[in-house]
């Protein structure tokens, strides 16, 4: 029975199970990319394939809406339950098949070495590291710390826009037809995946760091323009909301590429036999997940401030201005802070290429020398000197 304690407990249990299993799947899925290949081009293709799969997967929401009915007492949720079961079974089959067939670069190098040495190749084994040692190493990883700060802000903004963009659009664009508002909201969910695929050539040519910086700069520029235009152009507000969400989501979609590079850097800096991709993804998620909880709480506090209604009834001028400045000022401030941190990020250009070369050597030869590690540690400080000599 709806509204009963048992229904509430059932909902809480299902929500916790869903979120826990979803986190488990996303963690392992994200950890795959650093292990599959070290090539930027190949990783970009994998990211594009993931985006294409997400576009196809998002179609399930449209079909789910078709089967959904709030008439639970009349058995209206039966078709939706059957549809959800079919989707879960298809996902399970897909996960099982992919896990069985996947093969990493390290696996291929290891198999080649076994064949070359008559099946007697062995890895250099090191004593297992304690958790305290691993934590200390990650705390000293400057680029990882910078990315985690940027990522925490990004997750907060992504969650905020995903949950409240439709409400803000409905409240700030009441003079626009409902059909147009629905089109704006639907476009904001599909377009980021398409743009992520279209950005692949730019990522391969200029690097993921440069593309992310360009996204932050465009968000700042759009925010300044939106503040200058104000509330007088409802259609511009809708266009701004879509473009901001596209840039925000694209940066989130490019995050796995950055994390893959950070895993490579960690492998070289600490001469690891195997990558610690799952540890990196999990630690990053640990610090960014709170944003997914804070964003909805802040959003509802803003929407309910001054007595504003979600349906748009009784919306005063003060509340309207608050929502507008939240929609525009939020991305502007977040992008400005992210630009400051992201410009300190050094894992790009010749330094990144050096890291990738050493990772490939480690996969083939089983390790790197102390002199090479020292060279990598000093590389960012020597970068300016190298560029001056080239000029």
């Amino acid at each position: 029975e709806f509204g009963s304690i048992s229904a509430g407990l059932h909902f809480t249990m299902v929500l916790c199970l869903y979120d826990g299993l979803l986190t488990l799947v996303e963690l392992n899925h994200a950890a795959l990319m650093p292990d599959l290949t070290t090539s930027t081009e190949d990783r970009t293709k994998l990211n594009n394939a993931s985006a294409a799969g997400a576009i196809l997967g998002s179609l399930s929401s449209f079909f789910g809406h078709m089967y959904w009915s709030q008439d639970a007492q009349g058995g209206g949720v039966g078709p939706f339950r059957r549809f959800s079961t079919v989707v879960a079974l298809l996902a399970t089959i897909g996960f099982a098949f992919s896990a069985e067939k996947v093969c990493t670069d390290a696996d291929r190098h290891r198999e080649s070495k076994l064949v070359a040495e008559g099946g007697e190749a062995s890895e250099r084994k090191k004593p297992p590291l304690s958790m305290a040692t691993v934590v200390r190493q990650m705390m000293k990883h400057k680029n990882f710390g910078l990315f985690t700060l940027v990522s925490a802000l990004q997750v907060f903004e992504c969650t905020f826009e995903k949950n409240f963009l439709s409400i803000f659009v409905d409240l700030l664009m009441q003079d626009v037809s409902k059909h147009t508002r629905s089109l704006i909201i639907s476009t904001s969910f599909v377009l980021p995946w398409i743009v992520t695929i279209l950005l692949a050539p730019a990522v391969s040519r200029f690097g993921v760091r440069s593309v992310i910086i360009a996204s932050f700069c465009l968000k700042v520029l759009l925010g300044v323009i939106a503040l200058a235009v104000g509330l007088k152009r409802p259609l511009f507000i809708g266009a701004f909301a879509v473009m901001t969400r596209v840039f925000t989501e694209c940066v989130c979609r490019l995050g796995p590429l950055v994390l893959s590079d950070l895993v490579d850097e960690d492998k070289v800096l600490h001469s690891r036999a195997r990558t610690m991709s799952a540890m990196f993804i999990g630690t990053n998620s640990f610090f960014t997940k709170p944003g997914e909880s804070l964003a909805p709480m802040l959003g509802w506090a803003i929407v309910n401030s001054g007595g504003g209604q979600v349906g748009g009834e009784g919306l005063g001028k003060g509340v309207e201005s608050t929502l507008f400045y939240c929609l525009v000022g939020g991305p502007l401030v977040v992008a400005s802070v992210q630009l400051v941190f992201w410009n300190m990020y050094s894992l790009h250009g010749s330094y990144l290429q050096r890291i990738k070369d050493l990772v490939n050597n480690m996969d083939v030869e089983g390790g790197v020398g102390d002199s090479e590690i020292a060279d990598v540690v000093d590389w960012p400080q020597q970068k300016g000197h190298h560029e001056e000599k080239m000029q």
Side-chain angles (χ1 to χ4, degrees):
E1 182 181 350
F2 287 107
S4 64
I5 296 178
S6 60
L9 291 175
H10 176 265
F11 175 77
T12 303
M13 182 186 68
V14 170
L15 187 62
C16 290
L17 284 173
Y18 168 78
D19 194 44
L21 293 173
L22 178 64
T23 301
L24 178 64
V25 171
E26 289 182 338
L27 174 63
N28 286 280
H29 177 264
L32 268 178
M33 186 180 292
D35 294 336
L36 288 174
T37 180
T38 58
S39 168
T40 300
E41 291 74 15
D42 290 342
R43 285 177 175 175
T44 303
K45 292 178 182 178
L46 289 171
N47 203 49
N48 288 346
S50 179
I55 293 174
L56 294 176
S58 64
L59 296 177
S60 64
S61 62
F62 293 100
F63 291 106
H65 188 269
M66 290 171 53
Y67 290 114
W68 170 254
S69 173
Q70 294 184 353
D71 185 18
Q73 294 181 350
V77 296
F80 179 77
R81 285 172 175 168
R82 289 191 288 271
F83 173 74
S84 300
T85 302
V86 171
V87 171
L89 289 174
L90 291 175
T92 301
I93 294 172
F95 291 147
F97 178 80
S98 301
E100 181 68 26
K101 298 297 182 180
V102 70
C103 183
T104 68
D105 277 352
D107 292 334
R108 285 187 283 270
H109 289 308
R110 197 175 297 109
E111 290 174 1
S112 300
K113 196 171 182 180
L114 284 171
V115 172
E117 300 184 13
E120 299 179 356
S122 60
E123 297 180 350
R124 292 189 308 173
K125 292 186 178 181
K126 295 183 178 181
L129 298 175
S130 66
M131 180 59 69
T133 301
V134 174
V135 170
R136 281 198 301 269
Q137 291 175 346
M138 297 189 73
M139 289 179 63
K140 294 179 181 179
H141 197 158
K142 176 186 174 183
N143 286 324
F144 178 69
L146 290 171
F147 174 73
T148 300
L149 289 172
V150 172
S151 184
L153 292 170
Q154 196 68 24
V155 168
F156 175 86
E157 187 179 359
C158 283
T159 306
F160 186 86
E161 293 178 358
K162 187 184 298 181
N163 284 276
F164 295 99
L165 179 64
S166 60
I167 297 176
F168 282 13
V169 168
D170 285 338
L171 293 176
L172 295 175
M173 301 179 64
Q174 297 182 47
D175 296 333
V176 179
S177 67
K178 185 176 180 180
H179 176 74
T180 302
R181 282 180 279 161
S182 299
L183 181 63
I184 289 172
I185 294 168
S186 300
T187 302
S188 70
F189 278 89
V190 178
L191 199 57
W193 297 106
I194 299 175
V195 174
T196 300
I197 296 175
L198 296 178
L199 283 176
V203 172
S204 298
R205 181 174 181 180
F206 302 107
V208 65
R209 175 181 177 272
S210 298
V211 173
I212 291 177
I213 285 179
S215 299
F216 291 156
C217 291
L218 287 173
K219 284 173 64 177
V220 171
L221 178 61
L222 285 172
V224 173
I225 295 174
L227 288 176
V229 172
L231 282 164
K232 300 177 182 179
R233 300 285 190 274
L235 288 178
F236 177 80
I237 294 175
F240 169 83
V242 172
M243 288 187 289
T244 302
R245 176 159 165 74
V246 167
F247 290 133
T248 301
E249 288 290 337
C250 283
V251 173
C252 289
R253 303 288 79 80
L254 294 175
L257 296 177
V258 181
L259 277 169
S260 298
D261 292 338
L262 290 168
V263 171
D264 291 342
E265 185 184 30
D266 173 78
K267 182 176 181 178
V268 172
L269 290 176
H270 302 289
S271 189
R272 304 193 194 280
R274 292 180 179 273
T275 62
M276 297 186 64
S277 53
M279 183 71 179
F280 266 75
I281 307 296
T283 304
N284 178 258
S285 298
F286 177 79
F287 288 106
T288 58
K289 279 290 182 181
E292 295 184 0
S293 300
L294 294 173
M297 291 189 288
L298 177 62
W300 281 116
I302 294 172
V303 170
N304 294 325
S305 64
Q309 300 290 324
V310 173
E313 300 292 336
L315 189 66
K317 288 293 182 182
V319 180
E320 190 177 62
S321 299
T322 300
L323 296 179
F324 172 74
Y325 286 115
C326 181
L327 179 67
V328 175
L332 176 60
V333 173
V334 170
S336 300
V337 175
Q338 287 175 316
L339 269 174
V340 174
F341 288 124
W342 199 237
N343 276 310
M344 303 177 190
Y345 184 82
S346 62
L347 188 55
H348 61 93
S350 57
Y351 175 56
L352 176 60
Q353 187 57 51
R354 176 62 173 163
I355 290 290
K356 291 185 178 297
D357 292 340
L358 288 175
V359 170
N360 289 328
N361 290 338
M362 292 173 71
D363 290 337
V364 175
E365 300 175 5
V368 293
D370 293 338
S371 60
E372 292 175 308
I373 295 177
D375 180 52
V376 167
V377 172
D378 296 336
W379 191 284
Q381 289 76 19
Q382 298 173 358
K383 180 181 176 183
H385 176 68
H386 289 316
E387 289 177 350
E388 290 177 3
K389 289 182 66 178
M390 290 178 65
Q391 293 175 355

